[in-house]
Amino acid sequence: MPTSNNYFHLHLVSDSTGETLITVARAVAAQYANVTPVEHVYPLVRSQKQLDRVLDEIEEAPGIVLFTLLEKDLVSRLEDKCKGINVPSLSIIGPVMQLFEAYLGAATTGRVGAQHVLNAEYFKRIDALNYTMIHDDGQHVEGLDDADVVLVGVSRTSKTPTSIYLANRGIRTANVPLVPGIPVPAQLETLTRPLVVSLHATPERLIQVRQNRLLSMGADSSGDTYTDRQSVAEEVAFARKLSAKHEWPLLDVTRRSIEETAAAIMKLYSDRQRNRPLE
């Protein structure tokens, strides 16, 4: 279907939360810099009545249709409708399920939302989130040894959002700010069990982020050492020197998204776990 004004409609239909669809769709859409998708997300579509509303909206705003539906009747109706109004549709998990079935020699159970059951892995993520929220921004440093990962860095190096992202992956993450002139908590310097990762960014990037932060708060940044070029450069140098002293891995987040930063940390953590001798 042709796009209009560099926009196109993207319909994401799921019988669960829709997270899988959104992730795949955005990863592909990001490869097309000149067009922007208008997302229509339909989670928890599990009945004919719910599907009717979705079909009406697809007909009203035709575009690409991606879906993760397990109920065969719903799949058939959706595919038939798309063919009837001449819009492309694709099951995101269908080909993968067929591959699994062929290799394993067994059919799927057809359980909707099976990846979201309240199992041990789920409760591990909840525990990690609770831990991470309590140990954000240098709070409760007495519990740092219970972390899987401890992030350190100067202000505005994305320590908190990265910590939360890691916690959603089941990794208990604490973060501690590094501030020149303020002693680092003794508990941090003596850690042996958790992986400590130092997040860094260029002074220019930190100044930009900090200025935007102050503007969003309606504060005046003029004359403030928080955004002063020399002061910020000294902060970065202090953090790097401290990291080198303790041999903490350095990770430059200047041009990294939260997801990319977290992926790099998870690799460091995985490598460390794999190489650690059995206790």
Side-chain angles (χ1 to χ4, degrees), residues 14-19 42-46 68-69 112-116:
S14 174
D15 52 21
S16 187
T17 62
E19 293 175 16
Y42 313 97
L44 303 175
V45 177
R46 300 177 180 177
T68 51
L69 298 174
V112 172
Q115 72 272 37
H116 300 296

Side-chain angles (χ1 to χ4, degrees), residues 162-190:
T162 303
S163 296
I164 294 173
Y165 188 97
L166 290 170
N168 269 296
R169 296 300 187 92
I171 299 175
R172 291 159 65 92
T173 309
N175 72 80
V176 179
L178 301 180
V179 184
I182 297 180
V184 175
Q187 293 89 339
L188 177 62
E189 297 191 285
T190 58

Side-chain angles (χ1 to χ4, degrees), residues 221-235:
S221 63
S222 59
D224 194 334
T225 57
Y226 187 61
T227 55
D228 175 71
R229 177 67 175 78
Q230 182 61 34
S231 298
V232 175
E234 290 174 0
E235 281 187 64

Side-chain angles (χ1 to χ4, degrees), residues 1-2 9 11 55 58-65 77-90:
M1 299 291 290
H9 293 282
H11 299 272
L55 298 179
I58 292 173
E59 187 168 14
E60 185 177 329
I64 294 175
V65 178
R77 280 198 64 207
L78 177 60
E79 290 180 330
D80 289 344
K81 181 67 173 182
C82 290
K83 288 178 183 177
I85 60 175
N86 196 30
V87 299
S89 66
L90 178 68

Side-chain angles (χ1 to χ4, degrees), residues 115-237:
Q115 72 272 37
H116 300 296
V117 296
L118 303 184
N119 55 15
E121 187 65 27
Y122 173 83
F123 289 109
K124 179 183 177 183
R125 293 200 307 272
I126 297 300
D127 173 70
L129 277 168
N130 287 334
Y131 176 89
T132 296
M133 298 305 294
I134 292 172
H135 295 85
D136 179 46
D137 201 30
Q139 300 180 77
H140 302 287
V141 292
E142 66 279 359
L144 288 180
D145 202 49
D146 294 325
D148 297 317
V149 171
V150 177
L151 304 181
V152 298
V154 301
S155 174
R156 299 293 113 189
T157 48
S158 301
K159 296 185 298 298
T160 294
T162 303
S163 296
I164 294 173
Y165 188 97
L166 290 170
N168 269 296
R169 296 300 187 92
I171 299 175
R172 291 159 65 92
T173 309
N175 72 80
V176 179
L178 301 180
V179 184
I182 297 180
V184 175
Q187 293 89 339
L188 177 62
E189 297 191 285
T190 58
L191 289 177
T192 57
R193 196 188 76 81
L195 169 67
V196 182
V197 180
S198 184
L199 305 183
H200 291 267
T202 63
E204 292 75 19
R205 175 58 176 166
L206 290 173
I207 291 170
Q208 180 187 36
V209 174
R210 291 179 181 187
Q211 287 176 336
N212 290 338
R213 170 69 171 169
L214 292 174
L215 284 172
S216 69
M217 298 170 61
D220 182 10
S221 63
S222 59
D224 194 334
T225 57
Y226 187 61
T227 55
D228 175 71
R229 177 67 175 78
Q230 182 61 34
S231 298
V232 175
E234 290 174 0
E235 281 187 64
V236 172

